[in-house]
Structures are given as C-alpha cells and as structure tokens.
Amino acid sequence: MFTTAGRLLRNLVHLPWAPIPEGRMVELPGRGSTFVTDTPGPHPHSPTIVLLHAVGTTGLLTWYPSIPALAERFRVVTLDLRWHGRGIQSEEFSLRDCADDVAALLDVLGMERAVFAGFSMGSIVAQRMWRQHPDRVDGLVLCASTDRFRSTVAERAFHESMGLTMSGLRGVSRSRIGSAAARAAGRALDLGRTDIHDWALAEFTSTSPWAVGQAVAALGRHHSRPWLGRIDVPTAVVVTRHDKVIPPDRQVDLARRIKGATIHEIEAGHAACVLEAESFVPRLLEACTTTAARARDFTH
C-alpha cells in the first residue's frame, strides 16, 4: 500500500529496525477503545513502565526502538492516546482526558501503580497523571519535556493559530466520514510489517491533521509550573541537548523544579526516540532503571 512512499521515506530517513510487539484493541469502560501493547518483563513481578507517546505519532511509533531494551527489566505497556492512531475518538481532545484514559487502562490491566515515561506530549500526560491520579504513580520519566509552552511571542502565536485553524475542522472529527477514515487508517496498520519504513508510514498517517492541531492547541494551554514543585515521586528528566522544539535549558529548568529529579542528558534532537535511538535508548533505560529503583526504595 505504501511501497512507493516507503521507498521515498527510506531514502530520506534512517529508521532503526526493532521487533514490533503485537497489540490489541482494549475497551476502557465508559470511555472508548484504544490500541494497547503489553510486553512482559523477565519475570511475573517485574515493575511496569507505561510509555506515553509524542504528538502526531502512536504508542508504537514513538517507542518501538526502546521496547526490547526496556522489556529486559520491565513489563512495558504502550497505548494510542486520544485521536492518535487507533486511540479513542471523541468530540474534543484534552490532556486531562488522556490522563484519565491511562488510569482507566491500569484498571483494565489489573495494575495498581506504574512508572510513567513520556516523550514530549507524552511527558505532559505523565505530569497530568501525577496531578490527577497521584495514587497510581510510582515514578515519572519525562523526556524532551517542559512545564509550559507559549513562553515566547512566536510560541504563543503558533499555538493560538493552530487552535483557531483546527476549530473549523472540528465537525469533521464528529462526522461518520471522519470516523470511518480514522478506522480505515487503523486497519491499514494490520498489514505485514516486513518493511519498517512502510510500517512507520502507516503508523504516522493513521493520525489525522485535525488531531495534531487539537493536540498542539491543548499543549499550548498546558502550564504545570504552579504545582510542579509538589511532585513527590521519584522523577528522571531526559534532556535532548540539540532540541529545536523544546529548548534544552527549559528542560533542565523543569528538572530543577522537581525535588530530587535526576537529569540524563543526550546530544540529540527532538526526534531522538526514533531517529537517534542509539543514543536515546541507553539513556532512557538508565533513567527508567534509576527511577524504578528509587520508587522501590521509596515505597519500602
């Protein structure tokens, strides 16, 4: 289906190869259904890491290079957040709803608590998990993160324009045509995964431009600085030093506002989770291992 485009993508971007976990649609009672992968750890009582993805991608597209390494130590769970991939379709997109969805998934999977690792938008959802469901959070790993957007005139203009532009497309999201298109894109992901570029392109195109615009507008309204200092669980912050989307000094400032947060720096940009996975994955594993160990000590 995407063979020609896949070849073009292959010529433009190097994507690391990694085995893609199988997943399934999971119904969250009263909320909707979403696509989930649940990779077991080395033993039945391995600590759990819930991975929360970046804007415009999916749980697997953001995290597939990291899952094999993490699964050597942890049970690893991913999901597609609202209006991304095969995630829940709703009339509105909100980060608050995303966090509530994650808490509902814990209930369905029979998990009391977990460590939550998020990349970019996913890191904001992880922050909201602590804010809304602190009793479910063992620890946080915040990658390429910030406590607020709209810090400059250019950022404010960008987020406001995205919100206004995408509000006109809101009716498409509610229509049968929009829903059918999103589901059709989701079904395309069930095609064979023999070529990583074709698979990645299918994942990427499964999220609509409307969803991206709504998510970006919601991120523009995020502001956790007033309560960030009250986070009381072990936290690690993975700083992408060459980031052009979220300046690294803002990522470091976030870490310094969270009591006891550890900082794990990499010389990489905002797409490091995939395009610079050879640098990102070891640092992520370090951050998750440190946080899980501190969480174990914290609870005992």
Side-chain angles (χ1 to χ4, degrees):
M1 183 177 181
F2 295 106
T3 302
T4 302
R7 283 199 297 268
L8 178 61
L9 180 64
R10 188 183 303 109
N11 292 333
L12 295 174
V13 176
H14 169 72
L15 296 178
W17 186 91
I20 309 300
E22 295 296 327
R24 60 190 175 96
M25 295 300 296
V26 172
E27 181 71 23
L28 305 182
R31 308 190 68 78
S33 60
T34 188
F35 184 75
V36 174
T37 69
D38 188 353
T39 305
H43 56 78
H45 300 293
S46 298
T48 300
I49 300 283
V50 177
L51 302 176
L52 304 170
H53 64 78
V55 66
T57 68
T58 65
L60 279 179
L61 186 55
T62 293
W63 295 109
Y64 84 90
S66 302
I67 292 173
L70 290 173
E72 293 180 3
R73 303 183 187 183
F74 305 100
R75 177 184 180 183
V76 184
V77 174
T78 74
L79 76 157
D80 288 352
L81 297 171
R82 287 187 173 232
W83 273 97
H84 286 72
R86 285 173 276 187
I88 293 171
Q89 296 180 41
S90 56
E91 292 188 354
E92 305 288 341
F93 177 91
S94 82
L95 298 166
R96 178 180 293 275
D97 282 340
C98 288
D100 288 342
D101 294 338
V102 176
L105 178 61
L106 293 188
D107 292 335
V108 172
L109 297 181
M111 297 187 298
E112 290 293 327
R113 303 169 66 90
V115 171
F116 297 89
F119 194 95
S120 192
M121 180 185 77
S123 76
I124 307 303
V125 177
Q127 292 176 44
R128 292 227 59 91
M129 270 300 299
W130 179 86
R131 176 70 168 171
Q132 295 167 221
H133 305 279
D135 58 324
R136 314 303 295 269
V137 180
D138 276 334
L140 299 172
V141 178
L142 309 176
C143 310
S145 190
T146 183
D147 57 0
R148 60 175 178 158
F149 296 87
R150 302 194 184 200
S151 296
T152 66
V153 172
E155 283 184 351
R156 287 194 294 273
F158 173 72
H159 285 280
E160 288 169 5
S161 66
M162 286 297 285
L164 290 172
T165 300
M166 292 303 153
S167 65
L169 297 178
R170 211 168 279 172
V172 174
S173 75
R174 297 171 177 163
S175 70
R176 293 182 179 180
I177 294 174
S179 296
R183 291 303 182 193
R187 287 193 297 272
L189 305 183
D190 292 328
L191 297 174
R193 298 169 176 181
T194 55
D195 186 284
I196 199 70
H197 291 80
D198 284 346
W199 170 81
L201 188 59
E203 287 279 322
F204 184 73
T205 56
S206 68
T207 300
S208 72
W210 176 87
V212 175
Q214 288 292 294
V216 168
L219 289 169
R221 296 188 291 271
H222 169 74
H223 187 19
S224 58
R225 183 167 293 184
W227 48 265
L228 201 67
R230 299 201 295 272
I231 291 178
D232 57 357
V233 296
T235 300
V237 177
V238 178
V239 177
T240 43
R241 294 294 308 170
H242 298 164
D243 204 313
K244 299 295 193 298
V245 177
I246 300 177
D249 58 346
R250 199 182 303 171
Q251 300 178 46
V252 172
D253 182 66
L254 168 92
R256 289 174 176 165
R257 292 177 183 275
I258 301 174
K259 184 177 180 179
T262 59
I263 297 176
H264 309 260
E265 297 183 319
I266 56 172
E267 301 299 318
H270 196 69
C273 54
V274 174
L275 299 187
E276 298 175 272
E278 68 283 355
S279 298
F280 175 76
V281 173
R283 195 67 76 210
L284 173 69
L285 183 60
E286 172 189 277
C288 291
T289 302
T290 299
T291 300
R294 292 175 63 205
R296 183 187 61 238
D297 295 341
F298 188 78
T299 56
H300 292 85

